[in-house]
Amino acid sequence: MTAPLPQPASPGRAPASFADELRALATLAGPLAGANLVQMAVFAVDVIFVARLDPVDFAAATLGVFLYSVVLWALLGLATACAPIIAAELGRRAHAVREVRRSFRMALWLSVLAALPFVLLLANGEAILLLAGQDPRVAARADAFLDILLVALVPSVAAGVMRTVAATLGRPAWALAVTIMALMIGIAANWALVFGNAGFPALGLEGSAIASVVTTFAMLAAFSAILLLDPRLRRFRLFGRWWRPEWSRLGEIFRLGLPIALAFTLEGSLFGGAAILMGLIGVTAVAAHAVALNIAAIAFQIPLGIAQAATVRVGMAYGARDPAWIARAGRAAITAGTGCMMVTALAIWFAPGVLVSAYLDLDAPANAQTVPLAITYLAIAAMFQLLDGAQVVLAGALRGLQDTRVPMLIAGFGYWGVGFATAVVLGFGLKMEGVGIWLGLAAGLLAVSALLLRRWMRRAQLGLLPAGAPL
């Protein structure tokens, strides 16, 4: 049975009003959303440079990055589960130096221990892609690309943990600053190494992988320096006794983080599965799907930042054993997330052609079929923007309550039991093709957001509030 949490050391630290909570949330979420958007640009840099190589190398980079990013996203979900734990410690006691340090240290340990098996797995990238029926030439080039890119996996997860901890401890602006730095380094390194500029050899596809490794280590070094030198962060002495295990805390992060990692994987694989379904329709459908999905993914980075902030704000309220603060923090996050997505939904609905023109020449004969399809898919994307924003923010708020197992089950049921099944039935059973697949995605998001909202609204009845807290 969970022991009652102690009373907060500094009563009254909770924001006095909803407006105060909304301001606190915005202060935290703004830089995180900005960092997420810049991170999208970091990923795009590799695509832009490699796209100028031959088609085999471009396909190899696309597949290699897909395998790598699926693993990285899951590992980040696992290790950054330290955020709600640290937030709860700060809610209990503002100067919880030892507890914060333990959580950070064990999250770093976990990131390394969990990443190593995946390094060995992805080192066999060629065999994986051949089993998936890919072209042997593409599989071989993707394997060469992955062999270099995998050097960045462990430091990338470690940098993600550092970014999360810095934001949780009240320094979210560093995430934006370091990501902007990474974008600049990525552009320069790709320019130099892919095509052989500034006296460097022209390494092509391998040069792009090396550029990613260089960028990742630069981010790791920057975050390490920030944790050591920032006045607010250095008092936690986060790298102190880094060799000392805290097995109970590592187990706690693992138990909380594994469902997060699985939920991330279930959501990401739904959209990957949708791309495979589009491939059964034709090349035009795949191209239109890719454009529409990329636009939706850019808009998604804003509520994702709000969700990351919601985990911290709700987590602090959870640690303070303050149900009123929990309710206020959750309401502020849901309001902000759906409000932002309403704006993006209106932009997508009223100006889809403008957005598509950033990717495709609207007047080119070669795009005569792709453009209308992309605009049609965007009309559906506009409708599910609110659902997408709601589900990610609700999941973040529930993580603040350290509730991750049932939301993971909801994700599995909603995304695959409802979303993918509906996409198959509508797309192929009812011959709606790509429109049916996108309606299936919307159905999955609707199911997940509705079930997560119900769980959030019934948090007291379900025993999700901290033990001993007044109802």
Side-chain angles (χ1 to χ4, degrees):
M1 183 175 178
T2 304
L5 298 175
Q7 293 288 348
S10 304
R13 286 186 298 107
S17 68
F18 176 75
D20 291 336
E21 178 61 43
L22 203 55
R23 280 191 289 271
L25 177 81
T27 300
L28 184 56
L32 293 176
N36 293 338
L37 288 168
V38 177
Q39 187 66 58
M40 291 283 290
V42 173
F43 291 144
V45 164
D46 293 336
V47 174
I48 291 169
F49 278 93
V50 175
R52 288 163 171 75
L53 302 175
D54 67 76
V56 170
D57 278 358
F58 183 45
T62 301
L63 292 173
V65 169
F66 171 73
L67 292 176
Y68 178 85
S69 60
V70 167
V71 170
L72 176 60
W73 188 238
L75 289 171
L76 288 173
L78 176 68
T80 56
C82 63
I85 296 174
I86 291 174
E89 294 292 352
L90 296 174
R92 292 185 187 95
R93 189 163 55 90
H95 304 293
V97 171
R98 182 174 180 272
E99 293 302 318
V100 169
R101 185 167 60 243
R102 288 176 64 203
S103 296
F104 170 73
R105 182 167 71 243
M106 288 301 96
L108 278 183
W109 278 44
L110 183 61
S111 69
V112 173
L113 293 173
L116 291 177
F118 287 101
V119 171
L120 297 176
L121 174 66
L122 293 183
N124 298 289
E126 182 175 9
I128 294 171
L129 292 172
L130 288 175
L131 285 174
Q134 300 301 311
D135 184 290
R137 297 173 302 158
V138 173
R141 293 297 289 144
D143 188 71
F145 179 77
L146 275 172
D147 283 346
I148 299 171
L149 189 60
L150 286 175
V151 175
L153 186 61
V154 171
S156 188
V157 179
V161 174
M162 294 180 188
R163 164 187 153 146
T164 298
V165 171
T168 305
L169 295 178
R171 286 290 192 257
W174 283 122
L176 179 57
V178 172
T179 311
I180 291 173
M181 177 204 73
L183 176 61
M184 298 299 103
I185 293 175
I187 292 171
N190 272 279
W191 177 78
L193 297 174
V194 173
F195 300 113
N197 292 305
F200 287 88
L203 300 177
L205 181 64
E206 286 79 1
S208 181
I210 294 171
S212 295
V213 172
V214 169
T215 301
T216 299
F217 274 95
M219 293 179 70
L220 180 65
F223 277 121
S224 299
I226 287 164
L227 297 186
L228 288 169
L229 301 176
D230 180 277
R232 181 181 293 185
L233 301 177
R234 69 185 180 193
R235 68 185 181 87
F236 289 95
R237 301 191 299 278
L238 292 168
F239 292 106
R241 299 184 178 182
W242 60 267
W243 62 87
R244 181 177 176 178
E246 298 277 358
W247 300 116
S248 61
R249 182 54 55 92
L250 187 143
E252 184 181 2
I253 296 172
F254 179 79
R255 286 190 298 273
L256 193 63
L258 182 59
I260 299 174
L262 292 174
F264 283 2
T265 303
L266 287 166
E267 182 177 5
S269 61
L270 170 67
F271 291 96
I276 292 173
L277 293 180
M278 287 291 185
L280 299 177
I281 298 171
V283 174
T284 301
V286 172
H289 172 77
V291 170
L293 189 60
N294 193 261
I295 292 170
I298 291 172
F300 178 75
Q301 302 311 307
I302 300 172
L304 177 60
I306 295 171
Q308 292 163 338
T311 297
V312 176
R313 297 300 303 170
V314 174
M316 291 182 69
Y318 179 86
R321 299 173 60 252
D322 188 336
W325 185 6
I326 290 173
R328 202 159 48 240
R331 188 165 71 253
I334 294 167
T335 300
T338 54
C340 289
M341 292 308 267
M342 187 175 295
V343 173
T344 60
L346 290 173
I348 291 172
W349 181 265
F350 287 108
V354 174
L355 297 173
V356 172
S357 68
Y359 297 81
L360 300 171
D361 183 347
L362 302 184
D363 299 321
N367 298 328
Q369 292 180 311
T370 306
V371 169
L373 269 182
I375 290 175
T376 300
Y377 298 159
L378 279 177
I380 302 171
M383 291 187 287
F384 73 54
Q385 286 290 292
L386 293 178
L387 301 174
D388 208 8
Q391 65 84 19
V392 72
V393 171
L394 285 163
L398 288 168
R399 282 196 289 273
L401 298 179
Q402 303 190 14
D403 178 39
T404 60
R405 187 179 65 85
V406 173
M408 179 268 294
L409 296 175
I410 289 173
F413 168 75
Y415 293 134
W416 285 90
V418 176
F420 192 77
T422 302
V424 171
V425 170
L426 295 181
F428 299 95
L430 298 182
K431 309 297 184 183
M432 296 176 69
E433 297 191 329
V435 171
I437 292 170
W438 272 74
L439 288 174
L441 297 178
L445 290 169
L446 174 61
V448 172
S449 59
L451 291 172
L452 290 178
L453 178 61
R454 183 174 184 271
R455 188 164 180 81
W456 171 258
M457 297 300 293
R458 300 184 68 242
R459 58 191 178 277
Q461 297 94 312
L462 295 173
L464 300 180
L465 296 180
L471 297 179

